Amino acid sequence: MLELLAVPQGRNYIAGRWVDPVGDRMLTSVNPATGEVLGVAPDSSAADVDRAVRAAAEAWPSWRATPAPRRAEILFRAAELLVRHKEELARLATREMGKILTETRGDVQEAIDMTYFIAGEGRRLHGYTTPSEMPRKAAYCVRQPLGVVGVITPWNFPVAIPSWKIVPALVCGNTVVFKPAPETPLSAAAFTALLVEAGLPPGVLNLVTGGDETGAALVDHPGIALISFTGSTDVGLQVAARCQARGVRVSLEMGGKNAAIVLDDADLELAADALTWSAFGTTGQRCTACSRIVVTPRAHREVVERLADRARRLRLGDGLDPATDMGPLVSASQRQRVETYVEIGRREGATVVLGGERPRVPGLERGFFYAPTILDGVTPGMRVAQEEIFGPVVGVMDAASLEEAIEIVNGVRYGLSASIFTRDVFAAMRAVEEIRTGIVYVNHGTTGAEVHLPFGGTRATGNGHREGGLQVLDVFTEWKSVYIDYSGRLQRAQIDRD
Ligand code: UN1
């Protein structure tokens, strides 16, 4: 826990206080590298969720009425606190979900970036004015907050992803009930504590920890105006169905099956460095992780060799150890999922070039480790080429031409991130134009989006919304159009034209 802020264990944060849950069920937070128990957090019931939503609803009128620049001042202070506590928060997140310290520092940094960036909107939140079609009539539009926002987040970016949702929601004048992943409740509590320390009034941000049941209670609560969800496609689609049945707005960020194209003329050293990072960084547990490499014939052998060479040298271990390059998977069930997919790949006829097993390194037995794995000879119809694995597994696929490579990249249901390595500007520009994903990189892997650009995917990755960038404001607000007629007479739009 954060040393400088007293974050009590086993409590939710509701209406400005750390409170005991109604029931006594607890989640246990476990270090996936060592098996060490880090602490407990409430496995909250529908009654806890109800309490939190009521608190948020009660806080809404005065938060909404607080001028946006004032709301933003609190968020700027939150950014400063995040800077000050970056190291502690990063260490906690590494212990809780396993990725290495340089990456959890990046995770916290992404939250800092987002908070500074979007707090700046407190003095903008632009609408626009436009001429009316009638004389002596003013017309303009403004953004309005929605009300109580339910935020449901995954464990892979336990600080950054909550910040992407909570900070914009707050600057826009909404109040929040935050339900983090059951694997990372302590990081969520610490992040909540920092935001609260910055000066948020009671009820403006509420934390209820728990698993699926807690999430379902939040989704189904009649007091919620919007659910912002990042997680698996299966759960996301259920969330969407439940929200849509009640006419509740929902923003979804779900799976990916991200691909990188490597053309024959590419800088293969750069491609190998970048793809090692994109495929095996965060142990492959990023929505943006590269899980398919599509190579043209002459580059194929070298790409596989250089990638395998680098991946073989990655040191697995506890993410707190500076010598570690790759941490464990987050849980036993995630590792099981990865093992199942590698088995499926083998049966489908892919060749395991590297990995395909748990590492045989003494000292790692208690963690959920899995070796970096490269599958070669993957073809577009295979399940390992179509389904999200969310682990350190990358499949190499052949393409005869740029056209075929683009077709393979686009030939999955998801559309988050893609990349192309080439020195040929014509090929790069064609790929940028024809690839149907929300994010495209040239001469860079599929990971590493920056907060001030829209983040999100096409097709089954999402439902059309974007996080990051100014586009995120469209998720957390709705428009109000205002007409002020100062002509002193009845003027009917579309009718009284002359
Ligand atoms: C995610 O895995 O959901 O672009 C987020 C990236 C990071 C964010 C990933 N900035 O890889």
CSV table of all heavy atoms in Angstrom, one decimal, residues 46-73:
chain,number,residue,atom,x,y,z
A,46,ALA,N,-24.4,-6.6,-4.2
A,46,ALA,CA,-25.2,-5.7,-4.8
A,46,ALA,C,-25.6,-4.5,-3.9
A,46,ALA,O,-25.7,-3.4,-4.3
A,46,ALA,CB,-26.5,-6.3,-5.4
A,47,ALA,N,-25.6,-4.9,-2.6
A,47,ALA,CA,-25.9,-3.8,-1.6
A,47,ALA,C,-24.8,-2.8,-1.5
A,47,ALA,O,-25.1,-1.6,-1.3
A,47,ALA,CB,-26.2,-4.5,-0.2
A,48,ASP,N,-23.6,-3.2,-1.6
A,48,ASP,CA,-22.4,-2.3,-1.6
A,48,ASP,C,-22.5,-1.4,-2.8
A,48,ASP,O,-22.2,-0.2,-2.8
A,48,ASP,CB,-21.1,-3.0,-1.6
A,48,ASP,CG,-20.9,-3.9,-0.4
A,48,ASP,OD1,-21.1,-3.4,0.8
A,48,ASP,OD2,-20.7,-5.1,-0.5
A,49,VAL,N,-22.8,-2.0,-4.0
A,49,VAL,CA,-22.9,-1.3,-5.2
A,49,VAL,C,-24.0,-0.2,-5.1
A,49,VAL,O,-23.8,0.9,-5.5
A,49,VAL,CB,-23.1,-2.2,-6.4
A,49,VAL,CG1,-23.4,-1.4,-7.7
A,49,VAL,CG2,-21.9,-3.1,-6.6
A,50,ASP,N,-25.1,-0.6,-4.6
A,50,ASP,CA,-26.2,0.3,-4.4
A,50,ASP,C,-25.8,1.5,-3.6
A,50,ASP,O,-26.1,2.7,-3.9
A,50,ASP,CB,-27.4,-0.5,-3.8
A,50,ASP,CG,-28.6,0.4,-3.7
A,50,ASP,OD1,-29.0,1.0,-4.7
A,50,ASP,OD2,-29.1,0.6,-2.5
A,51,ARG,N,-25.1,1.2,-2.5
A,51,ARG,CA,-24.7,2.3,-1.6
A,51,ARG,C,-23.7,3.3,-2.4
A,51,ARG,O,-23.9,4.5,-2.2
A,51,ARG,CB,-23.8,1.6,-0.5
A,51,ARG,CG,-24.0,2.3,0.8
A,51,ARG,CD,-23.4,1.3,1.8
A,51,ARG,NE,-22.6,2.1,2.8
A,51,ARG,CZ,-21.9,1.5,3.8
A,51,ARG,NH1,-21.7,0.2,3.8
A,51,ARG,NH2,-21.2,2.2,4.6
A,52,ALA,N,-22.9,2.7,-3.2
A,52,ALA,CA,-21.9,3.5,-3.9
A,52,ALA,C,-22.6,4.4,-5.0
A,52,ALA,O,-22.4,5.6,-5.2
A,52,ALA,CB,-20.9,2.7,-4.6
A,53,VAL,N,-23.6,3.7,-5.7
A,53,VAL,CA,-24.3,4.5,-6.7
A,53,VAL,C,-25.1,5.6,-6.1
A,53,VAL,O,-25.2,6.7,-6.6
A,53,VAL,CB,-25.2,3.5,-7.6
A,53,VAL,CG1,-26.0,4.3,-8.6
A,53,VAL,CG2,-24.3,2.5,-8.3
A,54,ARG,N,-25.7,5.3,-5.0
A,54,ARG,CA,-26.5,6.4,-4.3
A,54,ARG,C,-25.6,7.5,-3.8
A,54,ARG,O,-26.0,8.7,-4.0
A,54,ARG,CB,-27.2,5.8,-3.0
A,54,ARG,CG,-28.4,5.0,-3.4
A,54,ARG,CD,-29.0,4.3,-2.1
A,54,ARG,NE,-29.9,3.3,-2.5
A,54,ARG,CZ,-31.2,3.5,-2.6
A,54,ARG,NH1,-31.7,4.7,-2.5
A,54,ARG,NH2,-32.0,2.5,-3.0
A,55,ALA,N,-24.5,7.2,-3.3
A,55,ALA,CA,-23.5,8.3,-2.9
A,55,ALA,C,-23.1,9.1,-4.1
A,55,ALA,O,-23.1,10.3,-4.0
A,55,ALA,CB,-22.3,7.6,-2.3
A,56,ALA,N,-22.9,8.4,-5.2
A,56,ALA,CA,-22.5,9.2,-6.5
A,56,ALA,C,-23.6,10.0,-7.0
A,56,ALA,O,-23.4,11.2,-7.4
A,56,ALA,CB,-22.0,8.2,-7.5
A,57,ALA,N,-24.8,9.5,-6.9
A,57,ALA,CA,-26.0,10.3,-7.3
A,57,ALA,C,-26.2,11.5,-6.5
A,57,ALA,O,-26.5,12.6,-6.9
A,57,ALA,CB,-27.2,9.4,-7.3
A,58,GLU,N,-26.0,11.3,-5.2
A,58,GLU,CA,-26.2,12.4,-4.3
A,58,GLU,C,-25.1,13.5,-4.5
A,58,GLU,O,-25.4,14.7,-4.4
A,58,GLU,CB,-26.0,11.9,-2.8
A,58,GLU,CG,-26.9,12.6,-1.8
A,58,GLU,CD,-27.0,11.8,-0.6
A,58,GLU,OE1,-27.6,10.8,-0.6
A,58,GLU,OE2,-26.3,12.3,0.4
A,59,ALA,N,-23.9,13.1,-4.8
A,59,ALA,CA,-22.8,14.1,-5.0
A,59,ALA,C,-22.9,14.8,-6.4
A,59,ALA,O,-22.3,15.8,-6.6
A,59,ALA,CB,-21.5,13.3,-5.0
A,60,TRP,N,-23.7,14.2,-7.3
A,60,TRP,CA,-23.7,14.7,-8.7
A,60,TRP,C,-24.1,16.2,-8.8
A,60,TRP,O,-23.4,17.0,-9.5
A,60,TRP,CB,-24.5,13.8,-9.6
A,60,TRP,CG,-24.3,14.2,-11.0
A,60,TRP,CD1,-23.2,14.5,-11.7
A,60,TRP,CD2,-25.4,14.3,-12.0
A,60,TRP,NE1,-23.4,14.8,-13.0
A,60,TRP,CE2,-24.7,14.7,-13.2
A,60,TRP,CE3,-26.8,14.2,-12.0
A,60,TRP,CZ2,-25.4,14.9,-14.4
A,60,TRP,CZ3,-27.5,14.4,-13.2
A,60,TRP,CH2,-26.8,14.8,-14.4
A,61,PRO,N,-25.3,16.6,-8.2
A,61,PRO,CA,-25.7,18.0,-8.5
A,61,PRO,C,-24.6,19.1,-8.2
A,61,PRO,O,-24.4,20.0,-8.9
A,61,PRO,CB,-26.9,18.2,-7.6
A,61,PRO,CG,-27.4,16.8,-7.4
A,61,PRO,CD,-26.2,15.9,-7.4
A,62,SER,N,-24.0,18.9,-7.0
A,62,SER,CA,-23.0,20.0,-6.7
A,62,SER,C,-21.7,19.8,-7.5
A,62,SER,O,-21.1,20.8,-7.8
A,62,SER,CB,-22.8,20.0,-5.2
A,62,SER,OG,-21.9,19.0,-4.8
A,63,TRP,N,-21.3,18.6,-7.9
A,63,TRP,CA,-20.1,18.4,-8.7
A,63,TRP,C,-20.4,19.0,-10.1
A,63,TRP,O,-19.6,19.6,-10.7
A,63,TRP,CB,-19.8,16.9,-8.8
A,63,TRP,CG,-18.5,16.6,-9.5
A,63,TRP,CD1,-18.4,15.9,-10.7
A,63,TRP,CD2,-17.2,17.0,-9.2
A,63,TRP,NE1,-17.1,15.8,-11.1
A,63,TRP,CE2,-16.3,16.5,-10.2
A,63,TRP,CE3,-16.6,17.8,-8.2
A,63,TRP,CZ2,-14.9,16.7,-10.2
A,63,TRP,CZ3,-15.2,18.0,-8.2
A,63,TRP,CH2,-14.4,17.5,-9.2
A,64,ARG,N,-21.6,18.7,-10.6
A,64,ARG,CA,-22.0,19.2,-11.9
A,64,ARG,C,-22.0,20.7,-11.9
A,64,ARG,O,-21.6,21.4,-12.9
A,64,ARG,CB,-23.4,18.6,-12.2
A,64,ARG,CG,-24.0,19.0,-13.6
A,64,ARG,CD,-25.4,18.4,-13.7
A,64,ARG,NE,-26.2,18.9,-12.6
A,64,ARG,CZ,-27.4,18.4,-12.3
A,64,ARG,NH1,-27.8,17.3,-12.9
A,64,ARG,NH2,-28.1,18.8,-11.3
A,65,ALA,N,-22.4,21.3,-10.8
A,65,ALA,CA,-22.5,22.8,-10.7
A,65,ALA,C,-21.1,23.4,-10.4
A,65,ALA,O,-21.0,24.6,-10.5
A,65,ALA,CB,-23.5,23.1,-9.6
A,66,THR,N,-20.2,22.6,-10.1
A,66,THR,CA,-18.8,23.1,-9.8
A,66,THR,C,-18.2,23.5,-11.2
A,66,THR,O,-18.2,22.7,-12.1
A,66,THR,CB,-17.9,22.1,-9.2
A,66,THR,OG1,-18.5,21.6,-8.0
A,66,THR,CG2,-16.5,22.6,-8.9
A,67,PRO,N,-17.7,24.8,-11.4
A,67,PRO,CA,-17.2,25.1,-12.7
A,67,PRO,C,-16.1,24.1,-13.1
A,67,PRO,O,-15.3,23.7,-12.3
A,67,PRO,CB,-16.6,26.5,-12.5
A,67,PRO,CG,-17.4,27.1,-11.3
A,67,PRO,CD,-17.7,25.9,-10.4
A,68,ALA,N,-16.1,23.8,-14.4
A,68,ALA,CA,-15.2,22.8,-14.9
A,68,ALA,C,-13.7,23.2,-14.6
A,68,ALA,O,-12.9,22.3,-14.2
A,68,ALA,CB,-15.4,22.6,-16.4
A,69,PRO,N,-13.3,24.5,-14.7
A,69,PRO,CA,-11.9,24.8,-14.3
A,69,PRO,C,-11.6,24.5,-12.9
A,69,PRO,O,-10.5,24.1,-12.6
A,69,PRO,CB,-11.8,26.3,-14.6
A,69,PRO,CG,-12.9,26.6,-15.6
A,69,PRO,CD,-14.0,25.6,-15.2
A,70,ARG,N,-12.6,24.5,-12.0
A,70,ARG,CA,-12.4,24.2,-10.6
A,70,ARG,C,-12.2,22.7,-10.5
A,70,ARG,O,-11.4,22.2,-9.7
A,70,ARG,CB,-13.5,24.7,-9.7
A,70,ARG,CG,-13.6,26.2,-9.6
A,70,ARG,CD,-12.8,26.7,-8.5
A,70,ARG,NE,-12.7,28.1,-8.5
A,70,ARG,CZ,-11.8,28.8,-9.2
A,70,ARG,NH1,-10.9,28.2,-10.0
A,70,ARG,NH2,-11.8,30.1,-9.2
A,71,ARG,N,-13.1,22.0,-11.2
A,71,ARG,CA,-13.0,20.5,-11.1
A,71,ARG,C,-11.6,20.1,-11.6
A,71,ARG,O,-10.9,19.2,-11.0
A,71,ARG,CB,-14.0,19.8,-12.0
A,71,ARG,CG,-15.5,20.1,-11.6
A,71,ARG,CD,-16.4,19.2,-12.3
A,71,ARG,NE,-16.6,19.3,-13.8
A,71,ARG,CZ,-17.6,19.9,-14.4
A,71,ARG,NH1,-18.6,20.3,-13.7
A,71,ARG,NH2,-17.6,20.0,-15.7
A,72,ALA,N,-11.1,20.8,-12.6
A,72,ALA,CA,-9.8,20.4,-13.2
A,72,ALA,C,-8.7,20.7,-12.3
A,72,ALA,O,-7.7,20.0,-12.3
A,72,ALA,CB,-9.6,21.2,-14.5
A,73,GLU,N,-8.8,21.8,-11.4
A,73,GLU,CA,-7.7,22.1,-10.5
A,73,GLU,C,-7.5,20.9,-9.6
A,73,GLU,O,-6.3,20.6,-9.2
A,73,GLU,CB,-8.1,23.3,-9.7
A,73,GLU,CG,-7.9,24.6,-10.4
A,73,GLU,CD,-8.5,25.8,-9.7
A,73,GLU,OE1,-8.8,25.7,-8.5
A,73,GLU,OE2,-8.7,26.8,-10.4
